[in-house]
Amino acid sequence: MKTIQQEIDERTNLTSSNKLELLLFRLGEESNLGRSELFGINVFKIREIIPMPTITAVAGSSPHMMGVVDLRGQIIPVIDLPAVAGCTPKTGLNILLITEYARTTQAFAVESVEDIVRLDWRQVLSAEGNAAGGMVTSIARLDGDNSQRLAQVLDVETILRKVMPPTEPEIDAAHIGTHVEMKPGTVILAADDSLIARTMIEQGLEAMGLPFIMCKTGKEAWDQLRAIADTEEAAGRTVRDRIALVLTDLEMPEMDGFTLTRNIKQDPRFSAIPVVIHSSLTGSTNEAHVRNVGADAYVAKFVAEDLAAALRKALQPN
């Protein structure tokens, strides 16, 4: 039998092997198909799982906000996740998932929790363009390449901004600061699997006057980087003549940001390129993992001013 410390060590080492642990849960019957599907969320986002407590309704809250719960002195907003996803629980809302996202805490009400599974990110495929209203970033094949058992991985960024939209504008050009000068002809290579996150990143980079190439997965960014290196080498230049910096999310289908960063820093062609990690996975443990893979900076999603400051420092370290 594994000790608690062994389980902690194994979980910590997932970031060095392009793996993740997915908490599987059900929301109830989907309105069109009339069956209950599996959904998933990265275990690193889960703080705890508790039986449904008493919820206090909040006047004037949005339709999918159930209210708030007092959890050991912390007031946490509770989101009706089945309602957001268009599902109807058959047995009710029985479980709360307490999550940490971008240094904020919130709770998602679900019907039931099924299991925790350990997967390779290569088993997780992009779901962009699906019919889930942008709330599903990827589909996990739970039993390998030929799996018929699938789980939908939810886009927490999109859900939170749908249910609790920010009161202030996402991009305030007045606070971003002056434009950053880059070497002529160079661009930022960015990667994020969330449509709303890519949109905000693009707006921020445009406000800073920084040209960019946007990718949807870590693998796509890695393939782009190698292709650009080959093109530049054939022209008698180096990849640094084209790529000034890599900006990457951590949770992405096929190849996560930890693996992308490690690949970059271990390849002599790319090791001098600054890598900035921009992620909703916050906390001291995840930030320590970021340092261990060699990233030059870490910034939590999504505060445009913080991202601008991190990029400015990485691009002009002196």
Side-chain angles (χ1 to χ4, degrees):
M1 181 179 294
K2 294 179 183 177
T3 66
I4 292 176
Q5 185 59 51
Q6 284 174 323
E7 291 183 356
I8 292 172
D9 291 342
E10 284 188 7
R11 199 156 274 155
T12 299
N13 291 333
L14 292 176
T15 58
S16 64
S17 56
N18 200 42
K19 295 183 183 297
L20 79 156
E21 283 189 332
L22 208 61
L23 176 73
L24 302 179
F25 54 91
R26 295 189 189 272
L27 302 178
E29 289 189 353
E30 198 273 335
S31 57
N32 294 325
L33 299 177
R35 63 173 183 248
S36 180
E37 304 289 356
L38 276 173
F39 292 85
I41 189 170
N42 194 328
V43 168
F44 279 154
K45 278 193 169 81
I46 303 293
R47 196 175 84 182
E48 58 185 304
I49 302 168
I50 62 173
M52 183 62 67
T54 300
I55 306 295
T56 300
V58 176
S61 57
S62 62
H64 300 313
M65 275 285 296
M66 295 177 64
V68 296
V69 61
D70 182 351
L71 188 62
R72 294 185 294 277
Q74 182 179 12
I75 302 301
I76 299 173
V78 179
I79 297 167
D80 185 341
L81 196 52
V84 175
C87 297
T88 303
K90 296 190 69 175
T91 64
L93 296 172
N94 304 307
I95 301 292
L96 272 191
L97 308 180
I98 312 298
T99 66
E100 291 187 351
Y101 159 83
R103 298 196 173 103
T104 65
T105 302
Q106 53 283 311
F108 293 104
V110 303
E111 183 176 39
S112 62
V113 168
E114 295 281 309
D115 197 3
I116 292 177
V117 294
R118 186 166 294 180
L119 306 173
D120 192 292
W121 273 109
R122 286 171 293 189
Q123 293 173 241
V124 183
L125 304 180
S126 176
E128 183 135 321
N130 67 74
M135 290 186 294
V136 175
T137 59
S138 52
I139 302 294
R141 299 179 296 192
L142 301 179
D143 301 313
D145 292 345
N146 299 315
S147 174
Q148 297 299 308
R149 196 165 66 108
L150 306 176
Q152 302 173 61
V153 181
L154 294 173
D155 185 344
V156 179
E157 286 106 329
T158 295
I159 292 170
L160 289 180
R161 277 171 171 75
K162 178 177 181 179
V163 178
M164 299 185 295
T167 56
E168 300 296 330
E170 297 286 1
I171 307 297
D172 186 348
H175 292 110
I176 286 180
T178 58
H179 285 196
V180 177
E181 296 296 326
M182 295 197 309
K183 181 179 178 179
T186 62
V187 300
I188 288 176
L189 181 64
D192 200 298
D193 66 324
S194 167
L195 176 59
I196 194 167
R198 289 200 303 274
T199 300
M200 291 188 294
I201 291 168
E202 289 170 358
Q203 291 172 351
L205 294 178
E206 288 168 357
M208 292 183 71
L210 298 175
F212 59 87
I213 298 171
M214 183 61 73
C215 302
K216 299 175 184 176
T217 71
K219 185 177 184 302
E220 182 184 346
W222 178 239
D223 291 343
Q224 280 262 22
L225 188 59
R226 290 189 296 173
I228 289 169
D230 291 342
T231 299
E232 294 300 308
E233 183 178 343
R237 299 184 295 266
T238 72
V239 68
R240 291 300 305 274
D241 293 313
R242 180 59 177 158
I243 301 298
L245 179 144
V246 173
L247 175 65
T248 179
D249 187 19
L250 288 180
E251 300 176 278
M252 293 182 290
E254 300 183 85
M255 179 186 291
D256 67 8
F258 290 115
T259 302
L260 173 62
T261 303
R262 190 180 305 105
N263 287 349
I264 291 170
K265 292 303 183 179
Q266 291 179 352
D267 191 315
R269 296 174 298 171
F270 310 133
S271 58
I273 297 175
V275 177
V276 174
I277 288 180
H278 183 228
S279 175
S280 61
L281 285 177
T282 54
S284 58
T285 299
N286 287 311
E287 293 181 27
H289 294 329
V290 166
R291 291 191 295 271
N292 289 339
V293 296
D296 297 89
Y298 169 90
V299 60
K301 290 180 177 177
F302 181 83
V303 179
E305 294 90 335
D306 292 349
L307 178 58
L311 293 176
R312 186 174 287 109
K313 183 176 180 180
L315 287 167
Q316 298 177 343
N318 299 320

